[in-house]
Amino acid sequence: MALLKRELYRQVRGPEVTHADRCTLVFDTDKKSLYVEREVTHLEAKIRGAVEYQTDTMDISDYLRQGGQTAGHRELWRLLRTIFDEPADPDE
């Protein structure tokens, strides 16, 4: 299975408790499916390096309906405008 990936957003906070949140636009070339993958990693250094790792996938429309306009939302809109060759709206 070939997956083409493009990072939309990444945020890392730390240093003693490290929390990483990353959203990626993914195209599965075998299934011909386009979706957003969100990975969240939480490392608790004080508890013997305990790591919690979660991955979730969602449709593009579900991702865009999530509350707020994050950097990931803005990057996805930018990519979609590029695909459809539309100029960016400076008010968004």
Side-chain angles (χ1 to χ4, degrees):
M1 166 178 25
L3 298 176
L4 305 175
K5 294 186 175 191
R6 172 80 178 246
E7 187 173 284
L8 298 173
Y9 169 79
R10 177 186 300 209
Q11 180 182 34
V12 178
R13 289 179 272 155
E16 288 188 28
V17 176
T18 301
H19 179 85
D21 186 2
R22 180 173 75 165
C23 289
T24 307
L25 182 63
V26 180
F27 180 65
D28 183 329
T29 59
D30 292 340
K31 296 180 182 179
K32 309 297 186 250
S33 177
L34 185 65
Y35 57 91
V36 174
E37 179 178 83
R38 181 174 183 212
E39 299 174 33
V40 177
T41 305
H42 185 82
L43 169 64
E44 185 74 48
K46 292 182 180 181
I47 307 177
R48 295 184 181 165
V51 176
E52 181 183 342
Y53 180 79
Q54 297 175 336
T55 301
D56 188 26
T57 61
M58 63 191 91
D59 290 334
I60 291 173
S61 58
D62 292 338
Y63 177 71
L64 291 173
R65 277 192 287 249
Q66 289 181 342
Q69 285 295 313
T70 67
H73 288 99
R74 289 188 297 275
E75 177 62 9
L76 181 53
W77 280 117
R78 188 192 68 73
L79 289 172
L80 291 171
R81 283 188 192 97
T82 302
I83 291 169
F84 295 104
D85 198 28
E86 283 193 23
D89 182 355
D91 294 331
E92 282 190 28

